[in-house]
Each structure stands twice: as C-alpha cells, then as structure tokens.
Amino acid sequence: MMPPTLPASAADRLALQVQIEELQAELSGILCPAERRQIARELSSAKAAIDGLREDG
C-alpha cells in the first residue's frame, strides 16, 4: 500500500529542509576554500528557496 502523498509544497519544504541540513553538515567538514564557497552558495540558494515556499504557503 502506498503512503499518502504530501501536498507539493509540504513535500518540497521537506526535501529542501533535508538538503539544507545535509549541506550544513557537509560544510562543517570541508577545508578547501573553493569547495566551501560552492557549498555555501548551494546552501544560500536552498535557504532562499525554502523561504520562498514559506511565503507562498
């Protein structure tokens, strides 16, 4: 039996929250400045996306 599906916005928020947590964890262990900048950009983008979903929902 398939689990009930979440509304798209709730599923999107969950996916973004997981992505943010993973990026934060990854960022804490990276020493290379270039790689840290790339991960920080991805983290910033994910945070902006989740903020946009909160404003819409």
Side-chain angles (χ1 to χ4, degrees):
M1 182 164 141
M2 297 281 294
T5 58
L6 297 172
S9 60
D12 292 343
R13 277 193 292 272
L14 178 60
L16 283 168
Q17 187 59 45
V18 168
Q19 181 182 10
I20 288 168
E21 291 173 8
E22 289 174 350
L23 287 168
Q24 287 172 330
E26 187 175 354
L27 190 60
S28 69
I30 299 297
L31 299 176
C32 174
E35 194 170 353
R36 285 186 65 81
R37 286 190 298 272
Q38 176 63 36
I39 294 169
R41 282 192 297 269
E42 292 174 21
L43 181 57
S44 178
S45 177
K47 286 180 176 180
I50 203 168
D51 288 344
L53 287 178
R54 287 182 181 137
E55 291 172 6
D56 294 342

